[in-house]
Amino acid sequence: MEKNKRVGEKTSLLGRHHQESVPGSLARIGPMVFLHTLGWSFSEVKLTDQIVYQACVVHLGSAEGGCSRLGQDNVTTIGTQLEQVVQPFAACVSMSIVLLTSVVPALAALFFGPWSERFGRKPVIAVASVGYLLSYLLIALIGHLSTYYIVTPWFYVAANIPVAFLGGFSVFNAGIFSYMNDVSNENNRTVRMGALQGFTILGVLSGLFASSWTAGAITITTSFLISSAIQLVSLLLLIFLMRESVQVDRSVQTRQKLAAIFKLDRVRDMKRTLLQDRPDGGRTIVWFLIAIGGMVELATAGRVLFFLYTRHEFGWNIQQYSLWLSSEFAVIMLGNLFGILALRKLFRVSDLGLLLLSTVNHLGDFLIKGFARQGWQLYLTTFLTPFKGIDGAAARSLLAKILPQDEVSRTYAMDLSVKALTPLVSVFLLTSIYNGTLDSDPSVFLFVTCLAFVLNLGLVG
């Protein structure tokens, strides 16, 4: 075993062995991923809107006094004043949820990623899915109670504890992308990763589109009960349709598997993978790719603030914001599903070229958003920057080319953990900037995020 490891370490940077591709694997995992993200996105914006409303109710001591007028086009002077008062409070609650569901899953991914190499990808994906299901049910319960009592929106932070401690998006994504790496090869990996990302975005797009049309017709309780049902169906598809991509030792008992989750040996293996010297500067390139993903997440972690920003700057309500966000994700989805395929097959663009193109698109997108003074300009930047979402597929494909097969999932886990931990910085930085400039120029936080992509241009170079 040690001899094989040493040989693997001396392999040329792009000299990976050929791996067989498993046909039909995308058709099995794609619908499950689509439903998972559909359930999540169907209620995400609704929750942010509900937090603003309940913050207003707590501030006034009752539901009377204009809270129901918040976020509407014809907001009164009283409504505008209330918005100014409750937005900083709502921003703190929303970003606390982002913090909780980012930091804890990041730590969990460090253990679950290496664990899945031995005991399978499906259990890891299932655990994260159950976390979402439990949190959705708790949020539905709190939303129902808020119709009868004055409930502080901080309870929504507590409701996200199950999804946080069971892995959240970090563990879920580590599982699905490791699975896709298992069943693809160097020739089709970038396209398949892009297609998997496309299914993710398609789910988000469908959820946002559906939520924009049902926002005024259903309560937060109904919204999250629907999300719970969708998540349950996704979990059933995972159990009955997906085939395990890892050969699991059936003789190991469940108790032993659970005990192995938090063994420090797994973390030591990951540390060895990330710190060992590699030919042709491979170790440096691995860390650059991880850092690039982290900077993208740092910049985009302010998405909750951007909803509040459009309410304040353009007077958008939840339907208008969801409609724009739907168009945003539709364009990104097309970029992943068809843009990568066209760029790779027709124009022979390398993975590094795709990464550079995505970074330039990200930078242009945030610059236009910062200078935008009318809502239609947000649609303009959406259609001018269609390739800003292809960085994930390109970076994961590059990592798979650099690393031996048995080390890829560990690196994916670290990559997702770094992405999840970056809100530790952005949650305080962007929220404090937004709250501090709310009365003068709230677009400042958008220009600050541009610095992340300027740095990424240097890292790609």
Side-chain angles (χ1 to χ4, degrees):
M1 183 179 293
E2 286 298 316
K3 181 179 179 181
N4 291 336
K5 181 180 291 186
R6 287 194 297 270
V7 171
E9 292 173 3
K10 294 179 181 179
T11 303
S12 177
L13 182 62
L14 298 180
R16 288 282 315 280
H17 63 276
H18 182 76
Q19 178 186 343
E20 292 298 324
S21 175
V22 179
S25 53
L26 185 61
R28 286 190 289 270
I29 191 175
M32 185 275 297
V33 171
F34 166 76
L35 288 175
H36 176 86
T37 52
L38 170 64
W40 167 75
S41 61
F42 181 75
S43 302
E44 186 194 29
V45 179
K46 183 75 173 178
L47 177 59
T48 305
D49 195 59
Q50 182 71 14
I51 288 172
V52 174
Y53 172 75
Q54 286 185 220
C56 177
V57 172
V58 170
H59 174 72
L60 295 179
S62 73
E64 305 296 330
C67 292
S68 61
R69 305 293 296 171
L70 289 173
Q72 298 184 14
D73 288 329
N74 55 344
V75 175
T76 62
T77 302
I78 295 177
T80 303
Q81 293 172 348
L82 281 173
E83 192 88 21
Q84 293 286 110
V85 172
V86 303
Q87 274 223 10
F89 179 29
C92 290
V93 174
S94 297
M95 294 306 281
S96 295
I97 293 175
V98 173
L99 189 63
L100 174 66
T101 56
S102 299
V103 176
V104 178
L107 298 176
L110 295 178
F111 293 92
F112 278 109
W115 183 88
S116 70
E117 293 178 354
R118 181 180 176 189
F119 300 109
R121 313 300 187 189
K122 285 181 63 174
V124 166
I125 302 171
V127 165
S129 298
V130 169
Y132 277 97
L133 179 59
L134 294 175
S135 286
Y136 291 163
L137 292 173
L138 285 174
I139 293 172
L141 176 61
I142 294 170
H144 179 69
L145 292 175
S146 69
T147 61
Y148 299 100
Y149 309 99
I150 297 177
V151 179
T152 175
W154 285 108
F155 276 104
Y156 291 118
V157 180
N160 276 277
I161 289 176
V163 69
F165 279 87
L166 291 179
F169 254 34
S170 294
V171 170
F172 181 84
N173 284 340
I176 63 172
F177 286 113
S178 294
Y179 174 88
M180 186 52 63
N181 179 73
D182 294 340
V183 297
S184 60
N185 58 37
E186 187 175 322
N187 295 327
N188 59 20
R189 183 170 290 115
T190 304
V191 174
R192 284 196 172 191
M193 290 286 188
L196 186 59
Q197 189 77 7
F199 273 107
T200 302
I201 298 170
L202 179 61
V204 174
L205 168 64
S206 302
L208 290 172
F209 186 76
S211 68
S212 67
W213 291 104
T214 60
I218 63 175
T219 64
I220 186 172
T221 301
T222 304
S223 178
F224 273 91
L225 285 177
I226 293 173
S227 291
S228 300
I230 295 172
Q231 190 63 243
L232 179 60
V233 175
S234 172
L235 187 58
L236 292 175
L237 289 181
L238 168 68
I239 295 171
F240 294 109
L241 284 188
M242 273 186 60
R243 299 175 184 174
E244 182 56 69
S245 61
V246 173
Q247 189 171 0
V248 181
D249 185 358
R250 303 294 181 183
S251 64
V252 180
Q253 298 179 356
T254 302
R255 179 177 54 82
Q256 294 173 306
K257 292 180 181 179
L258 294 175
I261 293 176
F262 298 106
K263 277 190 174 181
L264 293 180
D265 291 346
R266 308 291 177 197
V267 180
R268 293 192 189 101
D269 289 342
M270 179 179 289
K271 177 183 175 182
R272 200 160 41 242
T273 295
L274 294 167
L275 296 183
Q276 70 181 20
D277 192 23
R278 299 182 185 278
D280 303 321
R283 179 176 58 185
T284 302
I285 294 174
V286 167
W287 279 106
F288 273 10
L289 290 170
I290 293 175
I292 288 169
M295 296 304 293
V296 172
E297 187 61 32
L298 185 147
T300 56
R303 58 189 177 273
V304 175
L305 292 177
F306 194 65
F307 171 53
L308 299 176
Y309 172 75
T310 59
R311 285 173 62 111
H312 181 274
E313 196 72 6
F314 308 127
W316 278 11
N317 56 29
I318 188 171
Q319 289 91 344
Q320 290 169 305
Y321 180 78
S322 295
L323 186 60
W324 166 78
L325 200 57
S326 297
S327 68
E328 174 95 337
F329 280 111
V331 172
I332 294 175
M333 179 193 69
L334 293 174
N336 272 271
L337 287 176
F338 304 109
I340 292 179
L341 185 62
L343 292 169
R344 288 281 289 171
K345 301 297 183 182
L346 297 180
F347 300 102
R348 306 294 182 183
V349 178
S350 66
D351 289 329
L352 191 60
L354 294 177
L355 195 58
L356 177 62
L357 181 61
S358 177
T359 304
V360 172
N361 273 240
H362 270 302
L363 180 59
D365 177 59
F366 275 87
L367 282 174
I368 298 175
K369 284 177 180 175
F371 286 114
R373 292 298 175 262
Q374 296 181 17
W376 66 266
Q377 292 167 336
L378 298 185
Y379 285 93
L380 175 65
T381 184
T382 291
F383 290 103
L384 288 178
T385 56
F387 299 116
K388 56 179 174 279
I390 64 176
D391 52 282
R396 292 186 188 99
S397 181
L398 281 168
L399 285 172
K401 290 177 181 177
I402 293 170
L403 299 167
Q405 176 65 20
D406 60 347
E407 297 180 0
V408 173
S409 61
R410 303 174 197 171
T411 311
Y412 284 176
M414 175 58 75
D415 175 53
L416 291 163
S417 295
V418 169
K419 289 178 180 178
L421 286 173
T422 49
L424 275 174
V425 177
S426 58
V427 69
F428 298 111
L429 176 65
L430 298 181
T431 302
S432 61
I433 291 174
Y434 180 74
N435 288 341
T437 59
L438 189 60
D439 296 328
S440 55
D441 186 7
S443 65
V444 170
F445 83 100
L446 293 169
F447 293 109
V448 172
T449 59
C450 290
L451 298 177
F453 298 111
V454 173
L455 178 60
N456 273 1
L457 285 177
L459 291 175
V460 174

